[in-house]
């Protein structure tokens, strides 16, 4: 059944409630239709996916054919993240070139700790930031960085699920800006307890899409498309997200070794990075600084200032935005424009 | 107003829903009354605390005076955790003696990393285990340990809240068993990303109590009472929980440096530990092993086996259980008795 229906794109409109209002979005990101007859919000849809999915797909087909009642223009620049909050956000570091550059810069040999295993931390999942919302941060001196990533949303994954069964649980794919405070990161890393201060809220793309909607660009648990990153309007990098050393199948299995993952859990790829960074650039400032240290002996590029913007977007082969763009300013906490 | 009403004890009955059903429990833990007219569940109550609290306190007073309609016997050994799931669980390591012993055993100097700051990690909060439920774990060879802790539940804490304002946000106090897989902990610690495998689900006491219910035993953001820990029916330790080097005021402010904390966030003390461990014993096996290594050159005590039980309880000056007991078996995943 689902194979005969198109894939779909889902988003969340703000409606004053913490979880927002679920909408189905057209493939070209121009139109949307409320799906609240099917599920109040995306988290609720994920918790009842077998029931919700076929109805959402049917609504997506109707929207695509112009027959969906109550369709509206999709306000891509004024939406909540697809999941404004969820039960768990686990973010990996799945790109070898990024890990090697960070290890050199931070003088921290990650790979010795857990040979053959991905690195993964748990971040705050209670207060995500919309794709065009200001990102409120405590201080400009903390080394403010963006991190462009791919993330997947899973349904319930039982403890002990193997990598070979893990991709069945991937329901949606989206982009993330995993903002980081680099000046605080090393000390927290050395504590062994992971990051609390260095990882403020995370932001996600306007829409989350089903894997089948990505066609051949989604395979082996990876998204084989370049992710374009711009800092204050200038291209900063366009590394291919398909270069993960560990696919999402392995990341999900890793996450579920000693815990079951609730429906709605988000798993991130970590900063996208390619071996040919000299050509494609980077998806976070810390990596560019690490390259500068290696090549010139010192980091030249500074971190973000309040008011700086980052834009993260993926275009398909025809140049169309797949997930919509994350495009947001970093601001002092307390001065963020209210969503 | 609240000062004129008694404190209260809250718990959650299983009702087939993920968040369970909120009940108010009598001071002696013998009777309970459904509070679902006030809030469906504890998480919902915390999200509307100013409205819910006076009504819950009035219901608690009625239950205490025997005038609450529909009161039932409180099934302390068959309840869900007060919050079966919540948006965030941040656990600290706030006892100096524990930190020093662990640093020696793990050859990891925590204090150098963040001098003057507490250590804190984020753990899974989507799938807590009831106080008498089996704790499902992947393997007996992972170094299964219990950790007896005190935990507080806060309402919404804005980013940047200072320690001097933090205790206003403490709505409830409870006990935790922060189960740990010690054989996996060191490698994850060395990765710098914190614990994913080494921290399976956490368990909490049958009831959570308001700070005023604790009287003079709750002061300076600390619970000044010994926490009794028994392993397979034999006393293992009874360290005083008041010996925290950082109070919950400092832990909450630390947690909120670069993030706002949603209502329902739980903050843990880390393993309770006293300087005179020779007299009072320990609240986790790893600490006893560290003491054995320091005193005899080798760890003698093994970790838990499947089927082993741990019991964690706090008695007041009159010998009455304050939070009810956590009393649970560690079992192989897949063999846990269904709640």
């Amino acid at each position: 059944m689902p194979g005969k229906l198109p894939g779909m794109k889902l988003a969340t409109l703000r409606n004053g409630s913490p979880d927002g209002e679920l909408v189905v979005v057209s493939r070209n990101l121009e139109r949307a239709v409320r799906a609240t007859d099917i599920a109040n919000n995306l988290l609720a849809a994920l918790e009842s996916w077998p029931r919700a999915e076929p109805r959402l797909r049917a609504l997506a087909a109707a929207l695509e054919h112009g027959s969906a009642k109550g369709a509206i223009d999709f306000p891509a620049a004024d939406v909540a993240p697809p999941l404004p909050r969820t039960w768990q956000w686990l973010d990996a570091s799945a790109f070898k070139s990024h890990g090697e550059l960070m290890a050199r810069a931070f003088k921290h040999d990650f790979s010795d700790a857990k040979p053959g295993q991905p690195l993964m931390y748990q971040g705050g999942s209670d207060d995500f930031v919309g794709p065009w919302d200001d990102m409120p941060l405590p201080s400009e001196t903390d080394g403010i960085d963006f991190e462009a990533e791919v993330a997947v949303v899973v349904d319930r994954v039982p403890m002990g699920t193997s990598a070979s069964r893990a991709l069945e649980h991937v329901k949606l794919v989206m982009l993330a800006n995993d903002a980081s405070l680099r000046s605080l990161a090393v000390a927290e890393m050395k504590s062994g307890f992971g990051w609390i201060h260095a990882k403020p809220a995370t932001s996600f793309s306007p829409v989350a899409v089903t894997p089948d909607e990505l066609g051949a660009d989604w395979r082996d648990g990876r998204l084989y498309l370049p992710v374009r990153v711009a800092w204050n309007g200038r291209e900063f990098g366009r590394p291919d997200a398909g270069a993960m050393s560990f696919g999402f199948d392995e990341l999900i299995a890793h996450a579920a070794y000693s815990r079951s993952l609730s429906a709605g859990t988000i798993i991130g790829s970590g900063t996208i990075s390619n071996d040919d960074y000299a050509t494609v650039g980077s998806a976070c400032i810390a990596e560019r600084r690490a390259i500068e240290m290696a090549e010139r002996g010192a980091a030249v590029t500074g971190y973000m200032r309040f008011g700086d913007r980052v834009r993260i977007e993926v275009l398909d082969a025809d140049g169309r935005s797949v997930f919509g763009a994350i495009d947001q300013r970093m601001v002092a906490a307390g001065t963020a424009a209210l969503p």
Side-chain angles (χ1 to χ4, degrees), chain A:
Chain A
M1 258 301 267
K4 296 193 184 168
L5 293 164
M8 59 179 170
K9 302 191 176 191
L10 301 175
T12 295
L13 301 186
R14 306 180 202 282
N15 68 348
S17 80
D19 299 302
E21 191 172 54
L22 179 61
V23 293
V24 170
V25 181
S26 65
R27 188 163 284 161
N28 63 9
L29 305 179
E30 288 179 7
R31 302 285 285 169
V33 59
R34 282 185 176 76
T36 40
D37 283 354
I38 301 168
N40 276 332
N41 54 65
L42 181 53
L43 194 51
L46 287 158
E47 287 172 346
S48 61
W49 196 248
R51 195 180 56 75
E53 183 190 15
R55 298 180 63 197
L56 290 170
R57 284 181 182 268
L59 186 58
L63 181 66
E64 218 55 52
H65 299 141
S67 60
K69 281 183 199 153
I72 56 170
D73 287 342
F74 178 59
D78 185 26
V79 292
L83 288 166
R85 60 178 182 177
T86 193
W87 301 108
Q88 191 163 225
W89 155 234
L90 297 169
D91 197 15
S93 179
F95 291 86
K96 191 164 135 281
S97 48
H98 180 72
E100 288 170 353
L101 286 162
M102 292 297 102
R104 218 184 306 177
F106 291 155
K107 300 181 176 56
H108 192 107
D109 193 346
F110 301 100
S111 60
D112 264 12
K114 299 164 62 194
Q117 284 188 60
L119 298 169
M120 188 174 281
Y121 79 92
Q122 179 161 3
S125 60
D126 59 331
D127 192 21
F128 293 136
V129 172
W132 287 68
D133 290 345
D134 291 344
M135 178 80 74
L137 298 169
S139 168
E140 219 174 23
T141 65
D142 287 339
I144 301 169
D145 202 354
F146 47 81
E147 289 187 25
E149 308 193 358
V150 174
V152 300
V153 183
V154 295
D155 64 359
R156 186 174 183 281
V157 179
M159 187 190 303
T161 294
S162 66
S164 63
R165 303 300 301 269
L167 292 181
E168 300 164 19
H169 296 285
V170 175
K171 300 306 164 197
L172 297 166
V173 182
M174 56 190 179
L175 303 179
N177 176 20
D178 177 42
S180 290
L181 302 177
R182 300 294 189 183
S183 306
L184 309 172
V186 176
E188 288 195 321
M189 212 160 57
K190 290 198 189 302
S191 81
F193 276 55
W195 295 298
I196 301 295
H197 289 179
K199 293 289 181 181
T202 302
S203 192
F204 296 94
S205 50
V207 304
V209 312
T210 53
D212 59 348
E213 176 69 19
L214 298 164
D217 296 328
W218 175 259
R219 56 187 195 277
D220 313 323
R222 291 161 173 85
L223 177 70
Y224 285 91
L225 282 173
V227 176
R228 292 153 174 257
V229 183
W231 178 10
N232 289 336
R234 294 183 55 183
E235 184 177 273
F236 191 80
R238 47 184 159 79
D240 195 299
M244 292 164 78
S245 303
F246 298 95
F248 280 106
D249 49 348
E250 294 162 292
L251 299 185
I252 293 164
H254 183 84
Y257 172 74
S258 60
R259 60 177 77 186
S260 297
L261 313 180
S262 289
T265 293
I266 304 174
I267 313 269
S269 67
T271 303
I272 299 162
S273 177
N274 292 171
D275 287 337
D276 58 339
Y277 46 75
T279 310
V280 301
S282 297
C284 74
I285 299 171
E287 184 176 303
R288 178 180 283 188
R289 287 168 56 89
I291 295 164
E292 291 167 349
M293 281 186 240
E295 295 181 352
R296 314 192 205 174
V300 176
T301 307
Y303 287 112
M304 297 179 90
R305 309 297 299 265
F306 285 147
D308 281 9
R309 294 193 81 89
V310 61
R311 184 180 171 96
I312 299 169
E313 191 168 23
V314 164
L315 306 183
D316 66 15
D318 300 320
R320 285 176 301 214
S321 186
V322 178
F323 305 96
I326 295 171
D327 193 330
Q328 64 194 164
R329 289 190 310 164
M330 304 296 181
V331 302
T335 69
L338 284 180

